[in-house]
């Protein structure tokens, strides 16, 4: 099943509630929530109070992407504030199995994320312990960047490894996704499509409609 996952990093934060309502009325089921700590990535995004507000405003699945060093420090708090899934980076955590198991024990979906420069094989040991693998298709830290084409092969390779093991694991991609490269990403095996600027810039309702109809055509 393919899903469009709008990333609120590109939202207008003065209008966040209204923009969440627009997404809530569409047939999108997930919302991507980017947490940045200024250490793992150069930028700082937002944290607990924003997640708490978003949770109060929407029933969408909150897919929390932790671009944070030692994310294990925050799992309890983010789950308490309403995360439905938490994704940690393979590059940022020294106790990955334990942290993934902790997320699961709190009822969360578990994700493992991998940066563009990290070989995709580094995600292989975790495939049986996650619900999703997130392949970063830009260098994490900012919205609106260009897609890194070398990532197509990584997506193909993780999808084939997941299929080989017969596991129900999603492949999420994040960064630089536009209508122009959507088909190729779906073709190589991505099924959770994060889009920040491509959804939030301009007419959100219409952008979502166009993306969803393209995704249907490709299914
Ligand atoms: C980047 C974030 C992304 C970002 C994607 O580090 O993880 O989720 O919002 O934005 P676009 O779709 O504009 O590249
Ligand atoms: Zn993200």
């Amino acid at each position: 099943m393919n899903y469009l996952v709008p990333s609120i990093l590109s939202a207008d934060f003065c209008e966040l509630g209204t923009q969440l309502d627009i997404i809530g009325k569409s047939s999108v089921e997930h919302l991507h929530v980017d947490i940045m700590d200024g250490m793992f990535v150069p930028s700082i995004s937002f944290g607990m109070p924003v997640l708490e507000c978003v949770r109060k405003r929407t029933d969408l699945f909150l897919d929390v992407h932790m671009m944070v060093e030692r994310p294990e420090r925050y799992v309890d708090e983010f789950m308490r504030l309403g995360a439905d899934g938490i994704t940690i980076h393979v590059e940022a955590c020294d106790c990955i199995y334990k942290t993934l198991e902790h997320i699961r024990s709190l009822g969360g979906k578990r994700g493992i994320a991998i940066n563009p420069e990290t070989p995709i094989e580094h995600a292989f040991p975790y495939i049986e312990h996650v619900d999703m693998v997130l392949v970063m298709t830009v260098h994490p830290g900012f919205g609106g960047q260009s897609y890194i084409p070398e990532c197509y092969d990584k997506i193909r390779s993780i999808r084939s490894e997941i299929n080989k093991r017969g596991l129900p694991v999603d492949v999420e991609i994040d960064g630089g996704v536009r209508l122009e490269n959507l088909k190729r990403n779906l073709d190589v095996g991505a099924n959770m499509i994060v889009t920040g600027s491509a959804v939030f810039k301009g007419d959100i309702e219409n952008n979502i409609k166009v993306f969803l109809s393209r995704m249907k055509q490709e299914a």
Side-chain angles (χ1 to χ4, degrees):
M1 183 80 183
N2 296 334
Y3 300 98
L4 181 68
V5 187
S7 165
I8 60 166
L9 188 64
S10 295
D12 176 346
F13 283 89
C14 292
E15 303 293 336
L16 185 58
T18 316
Q19 298 195 336
L20 292 178
D21 294 346
I22 296 171
I23 297 171
K25 286 192 195 117
S26 75
S27 33
V28 158
E29 295 173 33
H30 305 75
L31 206 62
H32 188 79
V33 181
D34 283 311
I35 309 293
M36 302 180 186
D37 67 351
M39 294 290 287
F40 182 68
V41 289
S43 191
I44 296 175
S45 56
F46 47 77
M48 284 84 170
V50 172
L51 179 65
E52 198 174 3
C53 288
V54 170
R55 178 72 295 164
K56 285 189 190 138
R57 187 80 172 212
T58 181
D59 293 330
L60 292 166
F61 182 103
L62 298 184
D63 167 35
V64 173
H65 176 196
M66 303 280 271
M67 284 164 277
V68 170
E69 290 289 353
R70 297 182 47 222
E72 64 276 12
R73 294 174 292 159
Y74 301 110
V75 167
D76 286 296
E77 184 70 347
F78 279 87
M79 288 301 298
R80 190 181 70 75
L81 293 174
D84 293 298
I86 294 187
T87 297
I88 59 172
H89 269 261
V90 78
E91 303 88 357
C93 183
D94 290 332
C95 49
I96 295 177
Y97 291 110
K98 197 170 148 206
T99 306
L100 292 171
E101 175 50 28
H102 190 50
I103 297 168
R104 196 201 58 78
S105 74
L106 297 173
K109 295 272 184 202
R110 303 149 298 170
I112 189 81
I114 187 141
N115 278 342
E117 65 276 10
T118 306
I120 193 64
E121 292 72 22
H122 290 208
F124 286 7
Y126 307 107
I127 292 176
E128 329 245 334
H129 304 265
V130 294
D131 302 287
M132 180 180 88
V133 177
L134 165 53
V135 180
M136 283 309 301
T137 45
V138 296
H139 294 288
F142 304 96
Q145 303 181 70
S146 298
Y147 188 97
I148 300 173
E150 286 73 22
C151 296
Y152 292 118
D153 282 344
K154 296 178 76 178
I155 299 163
R156 193 182 287 110
S157 143
I158 193 80
R159 170 54 74 199
S160 111
E161 189 65 25
I162 290 167
N163 289 352
K164 204 159 77 191
R165 301 192 202 182
L167 295 166
V169 172
D170 290 308
V171 175
E172 184 170 72
I173 54 165
D174 185 9
V177 179
R178 311 270 175 269
L179 281 174
E180 297 70 42
N181 56 26
L182 176 64
K183 179 175 166 30
R184 188 158 173 205
N185 277 293
L186 294 170
D187 286 349
V188 291
N191 74 301
M192 297 192 71
I193 311 297
V194 175
T195 48
S197 40
V199 159
F200 281 94
K201 299 297 165 219
D203 181 341
I204 297 173
E205 192 184 339
N206 190 57
N207 291 341
I208 289 178
K209 263 191 205 145
V210 176
F211 259 96
L212 290 178
S213 83
R214 286 280 184 95
M215 286 169 74
K216 231 187 225 162
Q217 283 166 28
E218 304 303 336

